[in-house]
Amino acid sequence: MRSILKFVLVVGGLLVGLVLLAVMAIYFLFDVNQYRDEIAEALSEETGREVRLDGQLSLSVFPRLAITTEDVTIGNAPAFGPEPMLKLQRVAAGIDFMPLTRGELSIQTIEVIGLTVNLAVRGDGMNNWSDLVEAGEASSDADDSAVVDSGSGDDSDVVVDGDATEIDVSFGGLIVRDASVTYVDGSSETTYRLEDLDLELRGDDLTQPLDLTMAFVASADPGALRVQAAFDTSIQMAGADETLRFVDLDLTGSVSSEELPSPAPFALESDSIVLDFANNTLNVAPTRIDLLELSMLLVASGSGPAAPLDLSGRIEVESFEPAKLLPRLGIDAPVTADPEALRAVSFQSEFDATFESAGLRDLTLVVDDTELSGELSIVNFANMGLRFDLTGDSMILDRYLPPAEDEAVADDAGDALAETALPVDLLKGMEAAGRLRFGRLVLGDLPFESLDLGLTVKDSKAQLQPVRATVLEGRYEGDVRIDASRAVPRLSLNERIDDLNLGAMASLLFDQDNVEGRLNGSFTLAGQGVTLADIRSSLNGDVAIVLADGALRGTDLWYEIRRARALFKQSPPPPAPAEARTEFSSISGTAVVRDGVATNNDLFAELPFLQLTGNGSVNLGEGSIDYDLDARVLERPDFLSGATAEELDEYTEAVIPLEVTGEMTAPTIRPDFQRLARDAVERKLDEEKDRLRNRLLDRLGIGEDATEEEGEEAEEEEDIEDALKKRLRDIF
């Protein structure tokens, strides 16, 4: 037994000695650089590309098997120019020799210095790396099997798979310095670059997380987009599961572009990000992202990292101030009528995202004091097709409108709204469809309750339909269209109002409290211009209105009629009423609108004991009115205390001409003295003419039924005319 053991030890010693002698011989006697050209030629044949090894090759065997290569160049694919696809200043790798005798693999630190990679895709879709991938796959397939002659006498082959043996693997790490990757997309004529790449991966056991630090500069042209970033994380790779896990990820950096006035800092912190390549899944644990004034929390999972990307998750954005954020993004912050508007915006939502679209579900958006909920999505990033269904509680939209240019205009809500410009730039190139509902929305100081608004935008045209709301105790329905595809934008309206409180509207829009009544009407109008004031001055269309149970405070129509009679008869005027007020049962009429002027020829109004008829015009652009009315007294107005019997008799069945002029918000109503005098003179002349004619006929002995020759009748008519002329001279 002892002799056998001695023999084994001797033989073993001899074998170890022979191995050591062989290693020393290779190390001292073998010069790998003598075979550099042969190695380059073999690599060229294997890859189908020109491979050059211009630097020194270094090989060591003991105590570790290591190789170092310098100045490596791999040529580009045909039709991609003379620039090499890959250049490498230095690469070094090695494994410890002694652990191999124990069935262990100890990989030393791999160093890659000065790596430059140029990738390109032509306009026809051809790229400069697919041939290398195909060559690598073919070589891998050949290495995965061995072909053995079965000895059966035929030409069949037997494929024998090698048995996999588990060995312990340790890893010294990976160091990459001064690397760069360039990717040219010929179809979009865009160039992407990853430069100044420094990477360090440290760890002892590949089955355990490895520490990774990385810094780089990424850019894209055109657009001058530039991202400078650095991050630290622990990375774990599971070969059998084909998963890559980033743990405790901490990313910081900045982004800049032509649109940004200055670099925008950002930061990202994540508990973990897991990429499962075998199942093509991506899981993002709670991740915090900070960009300029924005802070958000993100959780996501779904398919990825390979296409197609399809993620779902939740996002929460903390309250931020758009007025501070937008200028830092190179966007002018909107100037609002209320300086305190847009001070706090936040939202939280579930989301779905792909490479083509993105959507928000269960959205809660808070804008200052307003909360909206619902859904919002972009169905196609190519044309930014927007879809939405949102419901808000309450908003004063006037706060977010641009301020009036003139302080005097700003004091009047109606004029301030008129100076509002149509959103032409917003509509161009936009595609949207959706529904917006508000419990209460204030626009132009008009409170719209239970607002239901449908919006469609396409081809620079927008349609608001349906538009329904309760406004000033009444009901509004409309169809509003904006055509921004024209050189001058066009606005068209098809609207109806029912039982609207006219007094409340006059008070809110014009700061007037002198009217009462319930307004019903329909409006079919169209105009063009940049602002609502421009459009109002160019309106064309038709209008029909009915005003019921109304009153006009500040003017007493009966008093004006009585005062006019007194002036006409040169008698003392009646005492003024304590409260000037004119009531009416209804007012109705239709109008044709041309170039902002509404012309009405069928105005009809009923007041107690009185009817008004007439015609006139309203200049919508200037807000002025010019009407001629006839007031007809239907019966004796007994409620007029202090009126004489003669006065009451004169009013009964009388027709009194009136004129209404001035501003629409405060019109002046007074008798038309010129028409009143003209009618009186004409009436007096008719009476005198009849009386004189009858007297002359009596003196001549001519009765009403007498007949004469034609010549005699003509002579009598001339006598009558002369007599009338003489009588008129006597009157005046």
Side-chain angles (χ1 to χ4, degrees):
M1 184 70 180
R2 293 178 61 184
S3 61
I4 295 174
L5 179 59
K6 183 177 180 180
F7 175 78
V8 171
L9 292 175
V10 171
V11 172
L14 290 173
L15 291 175
V16 171
L18 290 174
V19 169
L20 290 176
L21 289 174
V23 168
M24 293 177 63
I26 293 174
Y27 182 76
F28 289 106
L29 302 177
F30 178 72
D31 184 4
V32 70
N33 286 284
Q34 294 179 355
Y35 303 93
R36 184 172 54 194
D37 294 339
E38 288 82 350
I39 295 174
E41 183 178 350
L43 291 174
S44 297
E45 293 178 357
E46 181 73 17
T47 61
R49 303 283 186 90
E50 179 187 6
V51 178
R52 297 204 319 267
L53 304 177
D54 297 330
Q56 292 293 313
L57 300 179
S58 175
L59 176 66
S60 63
V61 178
F62 191 82
R64 61 180 56 90
L65 180 62
I67 186 170
T68 301
T69 304
E70 297 179 350
D71 296 333
V72 179
T73 302
I74 299 178
N76 219 330
F80 282 90
E83 186 176 13
M85 177 182 173
L86 183 145
K87 293 182 67 175
L88 185 63
Q89 293 181 7
R90 182 175 183 272
V91 60
I95 58 175
D96 285 339
F97 183 80
M98 293 304 298
L100 290 175
T101 63
R102 302 190 298 269
E104 300 173 358
L105 177 61
S106 178
I107 303 174
Q108 298 300 303
T109 301
I110 301 173
E111 292 185 357
V112 179
I113 309 298
L115 173 65
T116 301
V117 180
N118 294 300
L119 304 177
V121 177
R122 299 193 317 188
D124 58 4
M126 182 178 179
N127 62 61
N128 68 337
W129 67 83
S130 58
D131 57 329
L132 291 180
V133 175
E134 292 170 358
E137 291 176 349
S139 176
S140 176
D141 292 340
D143 293 340
D144 286 342
S145 62
V147 179
V148 180
D149 187 352
S150 63
S152 60
D154 56 18
D155 294 333
S156 62
D157 295 333
V158 177
V159 178
V160 180
D161 294 330
D163 295 332
T165 303
E166 293 187 3
I167 60 175
D168 293 330
V169 179
S170 62
F171 180 61
L174 171 66
I175 296 176
V176 178
R177 294 283 185 265
D178 194 24
S180 66
V181 179
T182 302
Y183 175 80
V184 179
D185 186 348
S187 59
S188 63
E189 297 184 352
T190 305
T191 301
Y192 303 93
R193 291 184 176 88
L194 185 67
E195 301 174 295
D196 299 333
L197 173 62
D198 291 332
L199 180 149
E200 187 168 337
L201 186 64
R202 295 290 187 182
D204 296 328
D205 188 348
L206 290 178
T207 63
Q208 299 299 318
L210 307 176
D211 294 331
L212 173 66
T213 60
M214 185 176 179
F216 61 87
V217 176
S219 61
D221 287 308
L225 177 65
R226 177 183 172 89
V227 178
Q228 185 172 358
F231 67 87
D232 297 314
T233 186
S234 293
I235 182 172
Q236 184 174 6
M237 296 171 288
D241 297 333
E242 297 185 31
T243 60
L244 183 62
R245 182 187 303 270
F246 297 90
V247 181
D248 297 330
L249 178 63
D250 185 1
L251 171 66
T252 59
S254 64
V255 57
S256 60
S257 70
E258 293 176 345
E259 290 78 16
L260 295 176
S262 60
F266 65 84
L268 183 149
E269 296 180 1
S270 178
D271 293 341
S272 68
I273 299 176
V274 180
L275 290 79
D276 186 338
F277 294 94
N279 299 305
N280 190 32
T281 61
L282 171 65
N283 288 279
V284 180
T287 299
R288 181 180 179 84
I289 303 172
D290 295 312
L291 174 64
L292 294 173
E293 307 292 329
L294 286 177
S295 294
M296 65 189 76
L297 187 65
L298 174 70
V299 180
S301 63
S303 65
L309 177 71
D310 191 354
L311 294 178
S312 298
R314 182 170 181 80
I315 184 171
E316 298 179 6
V317 178
E318 298 177 3
S319 180
F320 66 95
E321 190 171 345
K324 291 182 178 179
L325 173 65
L326 294 177
R328 299 192 66 181
L329 294 175
I331 303 172
D332 293 334
V335 180
T336 56
D338 182 1
E340 298 300 317
L342 291 177
R343 287 297 182 93
V345 176
S346 64
F347 79 89
Q348 54 185 354
S349 174
E350 305 293 324
F351 74 88
D352 301 291
T354 69
F355 284 125
E356 293 81 23
S357 63
L360 300 176
R361 299 175 282 106
D362 298 328
L363 167 68
T364 299
L365 171 65
V366 179
V367 181
D368 296 326
D369 300 326
T370 301
E371 181 175 307
L372 297 98
S373 60
E375 299 179 352
L376 177 67
S377 64
I378 299 177
V379 296
N380 192 328
F381 288 138
N383 59 9
M384 296 303 290
L386 181 65
R387 301 292 182 270
F388 61 91
D389 190 346
L390 299 173
T391 300
D393 50 9
S394 177
M395 172 177 278
I396 302 177
L397 194 59
D398 295 339
R399 298 178 59 195
Y400 304 94
L401 295 177
E405 297 181 0
D406 191 294
E407 293 184 1
V409 173
D411 290 338
D412 185 69
D415 286 342
L417 180 61
E419 291 300 320
T420 302
L422 294 181
V424 175
D425 294 337
L426 179 63
L427 297 180
K428 291 183 177 179
M430 179 182 179
E431 181 179 331
R435 206 71 170 263
L436 179 64
R437 301 172 181 87
F438 267 98
R440 177 182 172 85
L441 182 72
V442 179
L443 175 62
D445 276 354
L446 283 176
F448 294 89
E449 311 282 348
S450 302
L451 174 66
D452 185 0
L453 171 65
L455 172 66
T456 303
V457 181
K458 190 174 183 179
D459 299 329
S460 300
K461 298 177 182 178
Q463 180 180 12
L464 299 174
Q465 201 281 328
V467 185
R468 304 188 188 98
T470 299
V471 55
L472 300 177
E473 305 171 16
R475 188 68 180 164
Y476 167 85
E477 291 189 11
D479 182 348
V480 181
R481 306 187 183 198
I482 301 174
D483 187 351
S485 64
R486 301 165 170 255
V488 180
R490 178 181 175 84
L491 173 68
S492 60
L493 309 170
N494 188 352
E495 302 174 299
R496 180 175 181 82
I497 54 175
D498 295 303
D499 206 29
L500 184 142
N501 189 326
L502 181 61
M505 183 179 71
S507 176
L508 287 173
L509 293 183
F510 310 113
D511 198 22
Q512 299 289 326
D513 58 358
N514 60 337
V515 295
E516 300 175 6
R518 315 297 295 193
L519 182 63
N520 296 271
S522 61
F523 310 86
T524 304
L525 300 168
Q528 58 185 16
V530 177
T531 67
L532 296 183
D534 297 334
I535 293 171
R536 191 169 60 185
S537 299
S538 66
L539 284 175
N540 293 287
D542 300 291
V543 175
I545 61 169
V546 175
L547 181 60
D549 301 326
L552 180 63
R553 292 190 296 271
T555 299
D556 191 319
L557 185 58
W558 282 113
Y559 170 74
E560 295 297 336
I561 292 174
R562 295 182 65 202
R563 188 170 69 90
R565 176 189 175 278
L567 291 174
F568 189 72
K569 290 185 172 293
Q570 297 182 349
S571 60
E579 179 184 1
R581 177 185 175 89
T582 299
E583 296 184 356
F584 49 85
S585 301
S586 67
I587 298 177
S588 64
T590 60
V592 176
V593 183
R594 293 291 180 268
D595 297 328
V597 177
T599 302
N600 163 237
N601 294 314
D602 61 354
L603 180 68
F604 180 81
E606 287 186 329
L607 289 76
F609 307 100
L610 189 69
Q611 276 188 354
L612 290 176
T613 59
N615 57 76
S617 63
V618 177
N619 191 315
L620 301 176
E622 298 177 358
S624 60
I625 186 171
D626 185 4
Y627 259 83
D628 290 328
L629 303 177
D630 285 330
R632 181 180 297 275
V633 181
L634 301 178
E635 57 182 278
R636 294 169 63 91
D638 296 331
F639 64 90
L640 288 177
S641 60
T644 65
E646 179 186 4
E647 186 179 356
L648 293 174
D649 290 338
E650 289 182 359
Y651 287 138
T652 305
E653 297 299 330
V655 177
I656 304 165
L658 302 172
E659 60 179 8
V660 182
T661 58
E663 297 181 2
M664 292 175 57
T665 56
T668 299
I669 303 176
R670 60 178 179 268
D672 190 341
F673 290 107
Q674 285 187 336
R675 193 148 59 96
L676 191 64
R678 185 175 64 249
D679 292 345
V681 169
E682 290 177 354
R683 192 165 53 250
K684 189 67 174 178
L685 288 175
D686 288 340
E687 292 174 357
E688 287 295 323
K689 178 180 177 181
D690 291 340
R691 188 175 64 83
L692 289 174
R693 185 177 185 276
N694 291 333
R695 285 180 60 187
L696 289 172
L697 290 175
D698 290 341
R699 288 179 182 179
L700 294 172
I702 302 174
E704 294 181 358
D705 297 330
T707 58
E708 300 289 342
E709 297 293 334
E710 292 182 0
E712 293 177 351
E713 290 178 353
E715 183 179 351
E716 289 174 359
E717 291 294 333
E718 291 177 359
D719 293 340
I720 292 173
E721 184 175 350
D722 292 340
L724 285 173
K725 290 180 179 179
K726 183 177 182 301
R727 182 59 178 165
L728 289 174
R729 286 196 298 269
D730 293 340
I731 293 175
F732 292 104

